[in-house]
């Protein structure tokens, strides 16, 4: 086997000319990489010096020992005598980022788990787990390092989970329970998986979309949701616990593909045995909603310095909302009804946060919920999503109307009309305002008006807010509001006997 083979990236063979992997040698490599990075990014380096430094670093990237080199560089415990602008921490972070980039390159471009020996796959899995646990144990890691570790972990998961890495969800649960930085890392990993599988055109995720989407659906929903999803054809008193203990694999609800290419039909029992981290089957959505409630007070505070404890929790809260937003676009609707709390009402509260990124993430959550076509086609879930949006104390419409008024520092609607005509909003507030209007448009057009002939719940609050919005001077706002009004006026409910009562 040649030195340039994929296997060479993972197994050192010193007798055949590979780099000595002793700690002293690897430390020397780290020092040299740091020195070349200093030259490459130094403000006083000459063009020729930068070219030489880039040539050296490109050589490291092409080395047959790139994986062990990258793994050593990515670890935080190196002692370096170099420093960027007199700051050794910046140098260490730059070297670690370079090492992580080497590992990511190998995983994404050089590694094919279907065609490599099992020990190589085990090495990659062990490296991904080790990097994640080290990152979770280091609260001082900068954000770009944590995101790079999350990217590596997600890339490995996309290629192996669930069949060849069934314990992955357990590792994420361990990270989540380990520390604040561990929670952040687990959220970043899940968001990367959600986006690659359900949003982006990722070739690796697309090739295993059936397996990955099945696995993700199984780990994010709760025990109650799984009972509804997979026991619908059984007796009403059948318990999920007894179902899992039965000898047969259960109803053929999913089709997974083994690494050898042979398709298998698997029941819920098989799926959960492969991928479940939590024997109580709480589900990540329920776990995250509980965490969100715990972070409510800190997310309603004024923005804090990220280096403080309050700032760290605010950052975690924003990452949590962003991950939930990515989840809510595709999670089975039964998860909303099975959750211990009302998802839409709880999330809507954060539209009144004083932190701009938290408000944007909360509105993203609501946009992804109300933009779902399957919600409009199944009114059975309206009681847990649409009804608490339109009516009841603390309904979503009231919260969004309050958020609208708070953007203009206004208490009541009477004062809002002249203020919104004369007071231009700062760009961040205007972005939130547009998102709120988008939510109202989706509620009206994609939910209420998508089912002709049905009788919606009380729409008094909705009509009142739409009338106020129709007085806004922004043409962008008005285009969405007028479109919603046109759909409302064409609805059967408003054209029939109720027309007079509505207006």
């Amino acid at each position: 086997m040649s030195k340039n083979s994929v296997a060479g990236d993972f197994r050192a063979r010193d007798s055949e000319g590979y780099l000595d992997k002793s700690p002293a040698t690897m430390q020397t490599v780290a020092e040299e990489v740091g020195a070349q990075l200093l030259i490459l990014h130094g403000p006083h380096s000459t063009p020729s010096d930068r070219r030489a430094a880039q040539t050296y670093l490109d050589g490291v990237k092409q080395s047959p020992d790139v994986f062990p080199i990258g793994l050593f560089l990515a670890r935080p415990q190196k002692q370096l005598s170099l420093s960027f602008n007199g700051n050794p921490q910046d140098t260490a972070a730059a070297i670690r980022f370079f090492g992580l980039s080497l590992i990511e390159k190998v995983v994404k471009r050089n590694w094919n788990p279907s065609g490599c020996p099992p020990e190589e796959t085990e090495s990659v899995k062990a490296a991904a787990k080790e990097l994640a646990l080290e990152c979770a144990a280091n609260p001082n890691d900068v954000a770009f390092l944590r995101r790079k570790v999350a990217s590596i972990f997600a890339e490995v998961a996309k290629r192996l989970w669930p069949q060849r890495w069934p314990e992955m969800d357990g590792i994420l649960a361990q990270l989540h329970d380990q520390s604040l930085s561990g929670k952040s890392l687990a959220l970043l990993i899940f968001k990367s998986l959600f986006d690659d599988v359900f949003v982006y055109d990722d070739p690796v995720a697309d090739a295993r979309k059936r397996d990955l989407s099945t696995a993700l659906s199984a780990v994010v929903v709760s025990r109650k949701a799984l009972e509804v999803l997979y026991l619908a054809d059984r007796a009403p008193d059948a318990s999920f616990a007894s179902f899992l203990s039965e000898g047969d694999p259960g109803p053929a609800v999913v089709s997974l593909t083994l690494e050898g290419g042979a398709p298998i039909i698997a029941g819920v029992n098989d799926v959960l045995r492969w991928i479940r981290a939590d024997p109580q089957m709480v589900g990540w959505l329920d776990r995250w909603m509980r965490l969100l409630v715990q972070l409510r007070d800190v997310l309603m505070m004024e923005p804090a310095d990220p280096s403080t404890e309050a700032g760290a929790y605010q950052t975690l809260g924003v990452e949590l909302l962003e991950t939930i937003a990515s989840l809510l676009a595709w999670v089975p609707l039964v998860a909303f009804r099975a959750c211990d709390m009302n998802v839409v009402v709880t999330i809507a509260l954060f539209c009144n946060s004083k932190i701009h990124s938290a408000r944007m993430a909360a509105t993203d959550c609501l946009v992804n919920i109300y933009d779902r076509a399957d919600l409009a086609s199944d009114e059975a879930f309206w009681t847990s999503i649409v009804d608490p949006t339109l009516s009841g104390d603390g309904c979503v419409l009231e919260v969004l109307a309050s958020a609208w008024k708070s953007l203009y520092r206004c208490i009541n609607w009477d004062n809002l009309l002249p203020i919104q005509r004369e007071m231009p909003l700062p760009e961040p507030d205007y972005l939130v305002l547009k998102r709120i209007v988008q939510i109202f448009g989706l509620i009206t057009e994609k939910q209420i008006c998508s089912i002709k002939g049905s009788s919606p719940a009380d729409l008094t609050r909705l009509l009142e807010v739409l009338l106020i919005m129709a007085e806004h001077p922004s043409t962008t706002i008005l285009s969405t509001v007028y479109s919603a009004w046109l759909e409302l006026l064409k609805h059967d409910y408003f054209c029939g006997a109720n027309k007079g009562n509505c207006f």
Side-chain angles (χ1 to χ4, degrees):
M1 185 177 294
S2 69
K3 294 180 184 179
N4 293 324
S5 67
V6 175
D9 292 338
F10 302 95
R11 294 196 300 272
R13 296 185 288 174
D14 298 339
S15 62
E16 299 187 19
Y18 285 97
L19 181 70
D20 176 22
K21 306 303 187 304
S22 67
T25 301
M26 299 302 286
Q27 182 69 25
T28 301
V29 172
E31 294 279 356
E32 184 61 27
V33 168
Q36 299 302 322
L37 288 172
L38 280 172
I39 295 172
L40 186 64
H41 299 291
H44 304 298
S45 301
T46 64
S48 60
D49 289 341
R50 284 198 176 92
R51 284 193 296 269
Q54 187 64 63
T55 300
Y56 174 86
L57 295 174
D58 289 341
V60 174
K61 295 177 183 178
Q62 302 302 322
S63 167
D65 303 292
V66 61
F67 190 80
I69 291 174
L71 193 57
F72 181 83
L73 297 177
R75 292 191 175 114
Q77 62 267 24
K78 296 178 295 298
Q79 299 296 323
L80 302 173
S81 59
L82 304 167
S83 63
F84 281 128
N85 299 322
N87 188 345
Q89 291 183 344
D90 289 347
T91 308
I95 294 175
R96 287 183 61 198
F97 186 81
F98 182 76
L100 292 170
S101 299
L102 295 179
I103 297 173
E104 184 181 41
K105 174 183 176 293
V106 171
V107 172
K108 295 178 72 171
R109 300 182 184 179
N110 299 61
W111 177 51
N112 179 11
S114 299
C116 70
E119 59 266 26
E120 292 186 3
T121 297
E122 293 303 316
S123 297
V124 177
K125 287 162 54 177
K129 178 180 178 180
E130 178 184 354
L131 290 171
L133 292 175
E134 286 180 348
C135 184
N138 189 356
N140 297 321
D141 265 353
V142 289
F144 64 82
L145 290 177
R146 191 176 299 125
R147 292 185 181 278
K148 183 63 74 173
V149 171
S151 175
I152 294 171
F153 195 100
E155 290 295 334
V156 176
K158 285 189 299 185
R159 290 160 173 80
L160 297 178
W161 188 58
Q163 291 94 329
R164 298 181 67 178
W165 203 10
E167 68 273 17
M168 186 214 74
D169 192 50
I171 297 173
L172 293 181
Q174 181 182 351
L175 293 175
H176 185 271
D177 296 337
Q178 180 175 339
S179 62
L180 190 66
S181 55
K183 287 181 173 62
S184 173
L185 182 61
L187 289 169
L188 293 173
I189 292 170
F190 267 117
K191 188 176 188 305
S192 180
L193 286 173
F194 295 162
D195 290 342
D196 287 346
V197 174
F198 296 102
V199 180
Y200 303 139
D201 293 327
D202 183 278
V204 175
D206 286 344
R208 303 189 65 241
K209 191 176 185 70
R210 181 175 57 186
D211 298 359
L212 291 170
S213 59
T214 300
L216 287 172
S217 297
V219 299
V220 298
V221 300
S222 67
R223 174 196 182 98
K224 291 187 292 184
L226 288 171
E227 287 179 346
V228 174
L229 282 173
Y230 298 136
L231 297 183
D233 59 341
R234 298 204 167 202
D237 59 346
S239 69
F240 197 65
S242 63
F243 169 62
L244 290 180
S245 65
E246 293 176 6
D248 67 276
V253 295
V254 293
S255 176
L256 297 173
T257 305
L258 294 176
E259 289 300 323
I264 59 170
I265 302 299
V268 185
N269 198 19
D270 293 318
V271 174
L272 297 183
R273 185 173 64 252
W274 285 332
I275 61 182
R276 261 293 173 196
D278 188 349
Q280 301 302 317
M281 304 173 194
V282 174
W284 282 101
L285 177 59
D286 285 53
R287 186 182 286 118
W288 288 335
M289 291 304 299
R290 294 172 189 173
L291 178 60
L292 188 61
V293 171
Q294 295 172 6
L295 295 174
R296 176 180 174 181
D297 290 341
V298 73
L299 284 174
M300 291 301 180
M301 295 166 49
E302 294 288 344
D305 186 334
S307 62
T308 65
E309 183 180 15
Y313 278 105
Q314 288 179 348
T315 300
L316 177 67
V318 172
E319 292 173 344
L320 177 58
L321 284 168
E322 291 173 345
T323 304
I324 293 175
S326 184
L327 164 69
L328 294 179
W330 58 267
V331 68
L333 287 174
V334 67
F336 291 89
R337 193 161 56 190
C339 190
D340 292 338
M341 63 193 74
N342 191 284
V343 175
V344 291
V345 173
T346 302
I347 290 175
L349 296 174
F350 297 94
C351 294
N352 275 311
S353 172
K354 297 178 181 179
I355 305 168
H356 173 71
S357 54
R359 288 185 297 178
M360 292 298 292
T363 54
D364 280 342
C365 290
L366 297 181
V367 166
N368 288 342
I369 292 173
Y370 298 123
D371 196 32
R372 295 182 58 151
D374 56 345
L375 175 58
S377 62
D378 194 343
E379 290 188 74
F381 297 102
W382 276 36
T383 55
S384 55
I385 301 176
V386 178
D387 287 348
T389 297
L390 300 173
S391 58
D393 294 335
C395 67
V396 174
L397 289 186
E398 283 190 351
V399 176
L400 292 177
S402 174
W404 180 289
K405 289 185 289 186
S406 68
L407 292 173
Y408 285 98
R409 315 295 190 269
C410 185
I411 299 177
N412 56 65
W413 290 116
D414 294 335
N415 297 331
L416 179 62
L417 285 174
I419 292 177
Q420 73 177 8
R421 294 194 193 103
E422 301 172 4
M423 175 183 168
L425 289 175
E427 183 65 21
D429 290 346
Y430 183 62
L431 291 175
V432 175
L433 192 71
K434 289 195 296 184
R435 198 64 60 82
I436 292 174
V437 174
Q438 181 184 4
I439 294 170
F440 275 90
L442 291 172
I443 293 172
T444 303
E445 298 182 48
K446 300 210 62 175
Q447 303 305 327
I448 296 172
C449 296
S450 63
I451 305 178
K452 301 299 181 182
S454 64
S455 298
D458 180 19
L459 299 181
T460 303
R461 290 186 177 92
L462 176 64
L463 297 175
E464 289 176 347
V465 177
L466 287 177
L467 284 171
I468 297 293
M469 290 180 173
E471 298 291 331
H472 200 276
S474 169
T475 54
T476 303
I477 300 292
L478 291 179
S479 63
T480 303
V481 175
Y482 288 165
S483 177
W485 271 112
L486 287 174
E487 292 299 320
L488 276 174
L489 294 175
K490 290 187 293 184
H491 195 278
D492 295 344
Y493 184 73
F494 296 94
C495 296
N498 294 299
K499 179 170 61 175
N501 295 331
C502 292
F503 298 100

